[in-house]
Amino acid sequence: MSNKMKILIVDDDEMTRSMYTEVFNEAGFNVVEAKDGVEGLDTATKEIPDVIFTGIIMPRMDGFSLMEALKKNVATANIPVVMSSHMGREEDRQKAEKLGVKDFVVRDMTPPVKVVDRINSIFLKGVEYKVEFNSNALDAQKLARDLSFNSNFQCPECDEKLVLSLRIKNVEKLTFEAQFVCPDCGWKTK
């Protein structure tokens, strides 16, 4: 990552914090730590991280109370939160979802490296990439015939060359949604 994303790790277990700090540092994140929800709220307000990764059960303020407090503060209300549970109880997952958690990770079921992927996917969902399409390569002409496009992949509205728009559907599986769009007039396939 050229622009390091800042992640706040909130957990009362020092070994857990240390393990995730190492994993996120290796993945190119700028890591900030907090020992419980009270310290996490204070740190989030001062540091304004890009994402918060928090446990649930902690002294002074648990993960749920932390989320509620974050939502009440204008500066922290929109920070994505990923909750980590060592128990993986369904009622905890449901409560976290009601509070607006972006992802719920069951610690023993999800390797730390996968947690990095899941957090990265939060920021990649909905991102659009426009790619130039070579109308003469591989199966391009067959595609043009099958889709009833002209062989040069020109826009039916303005004759500008179409580009391929890609949106990440699933980061872990590297699957995309694709459609042709016109960079000039905005025409797109349905």
Side-chain angles (χ1 to χ4, degrees):
M1 287 180 192
S2 57
N3 255 349
K4 282 189 168 192
M5 276 201 305
K6 187 183 293 185
I7 186 167
L8 169 59
I9 300 173
V10 185
D11 202 295
D12 64 323
D13 183 69
E14 190 174 333
M15 285 179 56
T16 299
R17 274 195 331 274
S18 177
M19 173 185 66
Y20 281 109
T21 294
E22 184 178 326
V23 169
F24 282 110
N25 273 327
E26 285 176 13
F29 284 79
N30 177 8
V31 180
V32 183
E33 296 181 39
K35 295 178 181 130
D36 61 34
V38 172
E39 189 178 308
L41 181 60
D42 184 53
T43 304
T45 305
K46 290 176 183 166
E47 296 280 337
I48 311 295
D50 296 298
V51 64
I52 297 171
F53 182 67
T54 183
I56 296 175
I57 301 170
M58 295 178 283
R60 299 198 302 162
M61 181 188 284
D62 67 12
F64 297 124
S65 299
L66 172 61
M67 282 195 69
E68 289 170 348
L70 289 166
K71 296 291 178 200
K72 290 177 184 173
N73 183 329
V74 176
T76 59
N78 294 318
I79 298 173
V81 177
V82 174
M83 193 164 275
S84 171
S85 169
H86 65 280
M87 291 188 263
R89 299 183 317 187
E90 186 56 32
E91 59 265 27
D92 289 343
R93 178 186 304 277
Q94 289 173 4
K95 186 174 182 177
E97 285 175 4
K98 282 181 185 168
L99 290 170
V101 73
K102 292 295 181 191
D103 200 351
F104 188 88
V105 175
V106 180
R107 207 174 303 167
D108 294 338
M109 304 292 278
T110 312
V113 195
K114 286 290 181 195
V115 173
V116 171
D117 291 342
R118 287 169 67 167
I119 286 176
N120 279 327
S121 75
I122 291 169
F123 296 98
L124 293 175
K125 284 182 184 169
V127 174
E128 182 180 21
Y129 303 93
K130 290 192 171 112
V131 180
E132 188 175 323
F133 184 77
N134 184 342
S135 58
N136 296 314
L138 303 172
D139 286 334
Q141 292 302 304
K142 180 180 179 336
L143 180 63
R145 284 190 303 276
D146 292 348
L147 297 178
S148 301
F149 281 2
N150 67 41
S151 62
N152 292 323
F153 286 83
Q154 290 171 298
C155 175
E157 299 289 322
C158 71
D159 285 337
E160 181 71 28
K161 186 164 168 80
L162 297 173
V163 296
L164 194 57
S165 170
L166 301 172
R167 286 186 188 270
I168 296 175
K169 189 173 180 181
N170 184 314
V171 174
E172 290 178 18
K173 294 180 182 176
L174 292 177
T175 56
F176 296 85
E177 292 176 347
Q179 71 180 156
F180 285 99
V181 299
C182 177
D184 194 43
C185 74
W187 178 92
K188 55 179 86 172
T189 53
K190 296 185 176 39

